[in-house]
Amino acid sequence: MKDVTAIVLAAGMGTRMKSATPKVLHRIAGRPLIEFPVRAALELGVACVVVVTSGNPDIDASLKAAFGDQVTTAVQDPPRGTGDAARVGLAQVKTDRVLVFCGDTPLVTVQDLETLVAASREADLAMLSAEPSDPTGYGRVLRAPDGRVLEIREHKDLRTDAERATREVNAGLYAGKTRELVAAVAELQPMNAQGELYLTDVVASVAARGRVVALTGSPDTLVGVNDRAQLREAEELLYERIRVRLGRQGVLVRGDARIDDTVTVAPGAEIEAGVRLRGATSVGADCRIDVGSVLTDVTLGAGVNVKPYSVMAQSRVGDRAEIGPFSHLRPESEIEAEAHLGNFVETKKTRMRRGAKANHLAYLGDADIGERANVGAGTIVCNYDGFQKHRTVVGAEAFIGSDSQLVAPVTVGKGAFVASGTTVTEDVPDDALAIARVRQENKAGKAALLRTRLAEAARQAKAKKG
Ligand code: UD1
Ligand code: CA
């Protein structure tokens, strides 16, 4: 493939997206659209990848961030059609052969590109076609009675019902000799419904003097993203492809779980329906992520058990930890091995050291909870005074009784015991018992008296109303 340059066309306006964001930067399965075709070209091992863009600095920045120097860009401004875009790209090509395709077809596979380039070595031009159930909107491949490819005619330029009935459509991928394409592109005229230079017209001009082959690619390769309905369709196909790929790698993905292309999952993991794994998430071996959990940029060690409906972002969880159901890990939570977070526990910038537990109803923000410490139900770390955030430190094996508040900044020492219902405002030394609540009084027989008084008050209120 070292004699081939890939040109990816991505300078179109993308008006059908109805968005201020350039079409090729719309995200699909966790990556900007443009990354999929570029990745396929790089995986193919071509000498060089040239992306034709509108010069939008966001596109350049996105490509730089993802691919560094592996990709160069060429600017087409204004966008005068796919043929003009190809001309701009071709001006940068130094290899004998080129592969030209659209930046809005994210399902293109390396196999398709490989087949196309191989076929182009036996012909003057090779292109991919497909037969979708509904050809509306695509350019049609028109052939002579003997099957030779004659031309591609765009949907808007079809003239007869017979042409419109043609099922074979242009997938938008072409490969051939650089010299041949440069010559064909130079001849293009904007004589069509859109007044643009159509790259598709090179097919007729090469066919007039040589041989064009149209190969049938996999049907998905065709799926182009022009509007958001097609984006959704392409994304669903990508998610299914990812589920199948993970299945082959030893990961069980059930139902409609959606795992972004950016996520890594180790073998042995089980992911239930309704789960979303996003961004730079990585899941260790033998983890189980139950129904409805949403993880964004989270690293899970091995054997982590995430129970249903847990939401986590920008956090790390150690081996064999247990999270959920209904836990909320906000950014910079560090849950170490074998720690437990139960239902309705929220953490933020908090480290739960090895084996620490907070099993029910708690808020732990800006805290460091020691090894094997136990945080009781209803515990709240009061980390914010309305102006600043303050830290709370709980020592190893400390016990925080239920319904306590830890008013930060505060430290509870190792092995200390905080009695339930205590508001901790001062540091608790190691091994001390802290208790701060009003002493209980029991008044004998007063319950009945209180009830009589309350019933009488209710009777009087009712009489007044009526
Ligand atoms: C194009 C093909 C059509 C094919 C379909 C497959 C043409 C004229 N038509 O139609 O035969 O069935 O793809 O998906 O080629 N672009 C530029 N500069 C421009 C215009 C477009 O770089 O001036 C880029 C776009 O960013 C896009 C790609 O070229 O990535 C295709 O353009 P688009 O307008 O989407 O073409 P289609 O109407 O889909
Ligand atoms: Ca398109």
Side-chain angles (χ1 to χ4, degrees):
M1 289 294 163
K2 288 300 167 203
D3 59 342
V4 181
T5 297
I7 300 177
V8 182
L9 308 181
M13 306 268 269
T15 41
R16 287 168 278 182
M17 296 298 282
K18 304 198 190 314
S19 167
T21 305
K23 175 165 84 177
V24 293
L25 291 187
H26 279 259
R27 296 184 91 79
I28 168 164
R31 292 188 194 281
L33 191 48
I34 185 68
E35 282 190 24
F36 290 92
V38 172
R39 267 167 198 278
L42 289 170
E43 217 176 299
L44 182 67
V46 293
C48 183
V49 178
V50 177
V51 182
V52 181
T53 77
S54 58
N56 180 304
D58 295 343
I59 301 180
D60 274 32
S62 170
L63 288 170
K64 258 256 140 5
F67 304 110
D69 295 335
Q70 288 178 284
V71 169
T72 56
T73 54
V75 177
Q76 182 207 21
D77 185 21
R80 295 195 297 138
T82 48
D84 181 55
R87 180 189 57 77
V88 170
L90 283 162
Q92 307 237 347
V93 174
K94 294 180 190 78
T95 55
D96 287 345
R97 301 194 150 268
V98 275
L99 166 67
V100 183
F101 64 114
C102 300
D104 64 353
T105 50
L107 289 139
V108 58
T109 62
V110 187
Q111 288 73 24
D112 279 333
L113 299 181
E114 216 157 24
T115 317
L116 181 64
V117 172
S120 76
R121 296 184 192 276
E122 312 295 322
D124 296 295
L125 183 71
M127 57 168 284
L128 279 190
S129 65
E131 292 202 10
S133 47
D134 179 10
T136 309
Y138 294 106
R140 306 296 203 282
V141 180
L142 303 183
R143 291 179 185 260
D146 66 0
R148 272 181 308 122
V149 175
L150 294 176
E151 65 169 299
I152 296 170
R153 192 157 310 151
E154 286 307 289
H155 183 88
K156 285 180 184 160
D157 299 299
L158 296 173
R159 290 185 289 249
T160 65
D161 285 343
E163 283 173 5
R164 269 184 278 274
T166 310
R167 292 277 312 281
E168 187 182 14
V169 307
N170 171 27
L173 298 92
Y174 323 83
K177 286 205 188 85
T178 310
R179 200 165 17 87
E180 188 94 54
L181 270 152
V182 169
V185 161
E187 289 168 14
L188 293 176
Q189 296 294 327
M191 306 291 282
N192 51 56
Q194 303 188 86
E196 289 183 351
L197 297 174
Y198 283 174
L199 179 56
T200 44
D201 289 347
V202 305
V203 170
S205 77
V206 175
R209 50 180 184 258
R211 196 168 77 92
V212 177
V213 290
L215 308 161
T216 325
S218 60
D220 291 359
T221 288
L222 180 70
V223 178
V225 174
N226 295 314
D227 58 27
R228 297 192 206 217
Q230 287 173 322
L231 186 143
R232 177 190 159 281
E233 187 193 342
E235 187 169 60
E236 289 305 315
L237 290 167
L238 271 172
Y239 280 135
E240 178 57 16
R241 214 181 250 185
I242 293 166
R243 286 189 286 262
V244 170
R245 184 187 77 212
L246 288 171
R248 302 242 154 83
Q249 294 168 355
V251 177
L252 181 57
V253 187
R254 289 204 168 88
D256 67 344
R258 290 189 176 83
I259 301 170
D260 281 354
D261 197 49
T262 46
V263 171
T264 58
V265 187
E270 279 193 35
I271 296 163
E272 291 295 335
V275 166
R276 300 285 184 273
L277 302 182
R278 297 175 172 153
T281 292
S282 115
V283 175
D286 305 321
C287 285
R288 182 178 161 79
I289 306 179
D290 216 325
V291 176
S293 292
V294 180
L295 278 63
T296 309
D297 306 327
V298 170
T299 301
L300 300 185
V304 176
N305 186 4
V306 179
K307 297 171 196 172
Y309 301 103
S310 295
V311 177
M312 319 183 194
Q314 287 92 44
S315 294
R316 304 173 68 83
V317 180
D319 297 350
R320 297 174 304 284
E322 301 219 357
I323 311 288
F326 301 103
S327 294
H328 186 189
L329 276 67
R330 290 170 51 212
E332 294 179 53
S333 295
E334 176 107 15
I335 313 304
E336 293 186 359
E338 285 152 22
H340 291 189
L341 289 186
N343 35 202
F344 309 108
V345 173
E346 174 183 345
T347 61
K348 189 222 68 177
K349 267 196 188 166
T350 283
R351 179 168 180 189
M352 293 287 286
R353 295 190 188 231
R354 198 178 181 96
K357 290 184 182 151
N359 275 327
H360 335 263
L361 301 165
Y363 173 59
L364 303 171
D366 303 295
D368 183 337
I369 311 295
E371 286 192 13
R372 294 178 305 284
N374 193 313
V375 176
T379 296
I380 293 188
V381 162
C382 310
N383 60 324
Y384 186 47
D385 58 16
F387 296 90
Q388 288 188 74
K389 303 278 169 63
H390 303 281
R391 285 190 65 70
T392 297
V393 177
V394 172
E397 295 185 20
F399 183 94
I400 312 295
S402 297
D403 196 27
S404 295
Q405 297 99 59
L406 307 176
V407 182
V410 75
T411 296
V412 175
K414 286 192 201 113
F417 197 106
V418 172
S420 56
T422 292
T423 300
V424 180
T425 52
E426 282 166 35
D427 288 353
V428 181
D430 291 357
D431 299 313
L433 165 65
I435 180 162
R437 63 191 183 213
V438 176
R439 186 173 288 277
Q440 180 172 331
E441 224 184 306
N442 290 336
K443 301 186 178 178
K446 282 283 172 82
L449 202 67
L450 180 65
R451 279 198 197 95
T452 316
R453 202 195 296 151
L454 293 173
E456 176 57 19
R459 197 189 55 74
Q460 282 183 16
K462 202 174 168 192
K464 213 170 173 183
K465 248 196 195 162

